[in-house]
Amino acid sequence: ADAIMKIVNKELAKPVNVLKSVEPQVKEAMNHWERSVEIMPDYHPAWNSLGIIHSRVYKNYDTAIYHFNRALALEPTKPQIWFNLGQAYEGMGRVDTAIFLYRENLKHDPESISTRSRMANLLYRRGKFREAIELNQEIIRIDPDEPLPYVNLGNYYFFQGDTTGAVSFYEKAVRLGAPAAASNFLSNYYMERGDTDKANYYRNIS
């Protein structure tokens, strides 16, 4: 079932709806974990895996939260469970609760980049621009070669109306291997300004 879950998570990470293609594997994994909790109700990985399926595959956040809470009751120091629970509340639109849970996650996994990134973006949505920036700066200190914080910072400046500031962050992100969206943005930006050399450069690496 662990191998199946890895396949499912990989497919769900793709930018298209692939649920139909992986649904047989999802159902197989769910049946396995449901049998596991019947036989071994204290086996926290089964509760956590069921929560992942309900949260990330079916978007049944209430059911997912129930499973994650069962897992946390058994293993309250497991950072991944706190993270998964935060994602479920984020999916429900419960931003403040998600932020609280991501903070709890960092108590158990102080170096987590993904937790800082998600929390920073939620804080930005709450108007806490400075705190969002600081979290991304922490990511840069943890891993200077990670493009994600530069993408985040570029987004914040763009949404604040500072396109020039956003471009400088996106360019840094692209140099570190950011997703194609950043280089596509830069290509369009420079094309609109008549700089065809830079526009073509970023188009070719997207």
Side-chain angles (χ1 to χ4, degrees):
D2 287 328
I4 293 170
M5 285 299 296
K6 288 179 181 178
I7 294 170
V8 170
N9 286 329
K10 182 179 180 181
E11 291 298 315
L12 291 173
K14 295 179 179 178
V16 293
N17 184 0
V18 296
L19 175 57
K20 187 173 182 179
S21 65
V22 299
E23 196 157 20
Q25 294 97 319
V26 170
K27 289 182 177 179
E28 182 181 348
M30 183 177 287
N31 289 337
H32 170 84
W33 294 123
E34 286 175 344
R35 288 195 302 271
S36 296
V37 297
E38 289 176 4
I39 299 168
M40 299 178 293
D42 293 338
Y43 186 51
H44 81 271
W47 293 108
N48 185 54
S49 294
L50 285 168
I52 290 171
I53 291 171
H54 283 288
S55 179
R56 299 183 190 174
V57 180
Y58 294 114
K59 313 300 182 186
N60 295 329
Y61 296 117
D62 287 329
T63 304
I65 287 166
Y66 166 78
H67 287 96
F68 290 139
N69 280 326
R70 289 295 299 265
L72 270 181
L74 296 166
E75 286 290 344
T77 62
K78 287 288 184 181
Q80 190 60 45
I81 305 174
W82 288 102
F83 180 82
N84 292 338
L85 186 58
Q87 277 193 306
Y89 275 102
E90 184 179 343
M92 292 178 72
R94 299 274 296 277
V95 172
D96 292 332
T97 302
I99 290 170
F100 168 79
L101 292 165
Y102 290 145
R103 292 192 195 279
E104 289 298 309
N105 170 277
L106 289 177
K107 292 178 182 178
H108 305 291
D109 186 8
E111 300 292 291
S112 175
I113 288 174
S114 55
T115 302
R116 278 181 172 78
S117 177
R118 296 191 80 95
M119 186 164 65
N121 291 339
L122 293 181
L123 287 166
Y124 177 80
R125 286 167 55 185
R126 280 286 184 256
K128 298 181 179 181
F129 189 42
R130 175 50 51 190
E131 193 171 352
I133 289 175
E134 289 172 354
L135 280 167
N136 282 287
Q137 289 172 337
E138 288 178 14
I139 296 174
I140 294 168
R141 286 194 293 272
I142 292 168
D143 185 355
D145 295 324
E146 171 59 56
L148 183 58
Y150 295 102
V151 173
N152 291 341
L153 291 166
N155 291 341
Y156 303 160
Y157 277 87
F158 179 77
F159 293 137
Q160 295 289 113
D162 184 354
T163 305
T164 302
V167 165
S168 66
F169 285 114
Y170 290 146
E171 288 184 322
K172 177 66 173 178
V174 169
R175 287 197 294 272
L176 294 173
S183 50
N184 286 336
F185 175 91
L186 291 169
S187 177
N188 292 332
Y189 172 83
Y190 283 113
M191 184 62 71
E192 289 174 0
R193 281 151 184 79
D195 191 336
T196 54
D197 288 341
K198 280 193 173 182
N200 290 333
Y201 170 77
Y202 285 112
R203 182 181 297 110
N204 290 335
I205 63 175
S206 63

